[in-house]
């Protein structure tokens, strides 16, 4: 579980542990990962990990292979926002979004491929869940970097779903709309390193179901995609946004 130290990732860790999973909370923020892992319903493990580092991801996968020898569910959830108008977007903002979001998921899938592709004796499906975004489907202004990276993640999801289907590995994505109270949706002063408060207010005002989402709205979808109930679903992007299909703000 990447990006499990905060927000949506933390809610997914808690929900999957409640469902009986041994959750490995991997996050760039080691303290946050520790705090989440130590509070789970079933004992988990905390790991400091930068998903954009091939070296760290490879070492992490080797460690899990040595200690556990199996992996049933991989959730690629780590993400960042670095909003800016395109004409002011720096190379660093563009590259960082891609490195964390799409390359991070690629590195994780590749490193854990040997474990995920092992077909267990009972033939149960293994699950890959990628945290996309409505921005990757419909686009969002001031976020060309993020939207493009999330679109790339959706492409990765669909390609890998086909490639790994013969191994009974389901690969799906979730595309949340606005989920409040997370690191990404907590406004910051400069309006550039995260989403702007006025933007967030305008988005929430348009949500047909009448409220912004909470992390638990997404952890339930992840629990479904991690369960046997979704064994016949692969290559899909599940949109969870309260009916807000196109952000026109
Ligand atoms: P968040 O900031 O609370 O959580 C993101 C987590 O990812 C943090 O714990 C952070 O430390 C971690 N992280 C960042 N860079 C990392 C790296 N290089 N390696 C490992 N971990 C790293 O925000 P959130 O809203 O919970 O976001 C979770 C996911 O949901 C992201 O992929 C985000 O793009 C996606 N998402 C969020 C929303 C929303 O409205 N909150 C909407 C659509 C998609």
């Amino acid at each position: 579980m990447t990006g499990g130290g905060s927000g949506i990732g933390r809610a997914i860790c808690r929900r999957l542990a409640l469902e009986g999973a041994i959750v490995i909370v991997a996050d760039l923020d080691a303290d946050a990962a520790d705090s989440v892992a130590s509070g789970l319903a079933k004992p988990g493990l905390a790991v400091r990990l930068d998903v954009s580092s091939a070296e760290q991801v490879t070492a992490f996968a080797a460690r899990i292979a040595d200690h556990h020898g199996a992996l049933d569910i991989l959730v690629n959830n780590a993400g960042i926002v670095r909003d800016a108008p395109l004409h002011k977007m720096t190379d660093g903002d563009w590259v960082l979004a891609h490195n964390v979001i799409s390359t991070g998921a690629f590195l994780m899938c590749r490193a854990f491929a040997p474990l995920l592709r092992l077909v267990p004796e009972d033939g149960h499906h293994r699950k890959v869940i990628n945290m996309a975004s409505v921005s990757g489907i419909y686009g969002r202004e001031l976020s060309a970097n993020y939207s493009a990276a999330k679109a790339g993640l959706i492409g990765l999801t669909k390609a890998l779903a086909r490639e790994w289907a013969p191994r009974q590995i389901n690969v799906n994505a979730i595309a949340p709309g606005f989920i409040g109270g997370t690191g990404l949706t907590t406004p910051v002063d400069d309006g550039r390193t995260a989403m702007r408060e006025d933007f967030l207010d305008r988005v929430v005002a348009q949500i047909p179901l009448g409220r912004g989402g909470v992390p638990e709205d997404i952890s339930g979808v992840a629990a479904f995609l991690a369960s046997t109930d979704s064994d016949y679903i692969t290559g899909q992007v599940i949109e969870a946004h309260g009916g807000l299909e196109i952000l026109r703000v």
Side-chain angles (χ1 to χ4, degrees):
M1 172 76 217
T2 72
S6 167
I8 293 170
R10 177 171 53 204
I12 296 174
C13 290
R14 288 175 176 162
R15 176 64 188 267
L16 294 183
L18 274 175
E19 303 284 344
I22 300 169
V23 178
I24 301 160
V25 187
D27 202 291
L28 194 57
D29 183 336
D31 292 340
D34 274 340
S35 147
V36 172
S38 62
L40 295 175
K42 185 167 179 171
L45 183 73
V47 175
R48 189 200 174 276
L49 177 74
D50 179 352
V51 295
S52 67
S53 159
E55 201 179 11
Q56 287 185 31
V57 169
T58 304
F60 174 47
R63 186 175 155 199
I64 300 304
D66 285 349
H67 287 246
H68 299 277
L71 184 77
D72 288 323
I73 304 159
L74 170 62
V75 185
N76 290 308
N77 168 77
I80 49 107
V81 166
R82 290 290 182 280
D83 281 3
L86 188 87
H87 62 284
K88 291 184 180 169
M89 190 169 281
T90 65
D91 292 358
D93 288 343
W94 177 266
V95 170
L96 181 65
H98 285 79
N99 282 353
V100 175
I101 293 167
S102 46
T103 303
F106 157 68
L107 293 173
M108 289 292 293
C109 290
R110 186 178 64 179
F112 282 95
L115 287 187
L116 289 165
R117 286 164 55 84
L118 281 177
V119 179
E121 272 180 21
D122 66 3
H124 72 262
H125 290 219
R126 276 80 62 227
K127 311 282 181 151
V128 177
I129 302 167
N130 293 325
M131 198 55 63
S133 168
V134 289
S135 304
I137 303 172
Y138 303 110
R140 177 168 63 79
E141 63 269 48
L142 306 180
S143 79
N145 53 350
Y146 180 87
S147 299
K150 290 293 187 184
L153 182 58
I154 290 170
L156 170 70
T157 302
K158 290 178 178 285
L160 206 52
R162 288 176 179 269
E163 196 169 319
W164 284 0
R167 297 265 177 165
Q168 312 290 291
I169 304 167
N170 303 61
V171 186
N172 291 293
I174 304 172
F178 171 78
I179 308 300
T182 76
L184 260 57
T185 50
T186 301
V188 290
D189 288 345
D190 67 6
R192 190 170 176 284
T193 52
M195 295 182 201
R196 293 166 50 129
E197 192 159 18
D198 59 339
F199 171 82
L200 297 176
D201 290 345
R202 277 181 289 148
V203 171
V204 173
Q206 291 185 53
I207 295 173
L209 284 179
R211 65 171 176 88
V214 293
E216 290 69 26
D217 288 319
I218 304 303
S219 59
V221 181
F224 167 67
L225 290 177
S227 76
T228 55
D229 286 342
S230 60
D231 277 357
Y232 204 52
I233 298 175
T234 197
Q236 301 306 302
V237 184
I238 312 290
E239 298 183 32
H241 46 46
L244 186 72
E245 285 173 8
I246 301 180
L247 299 175
R248 291 207 181 281
V249 289

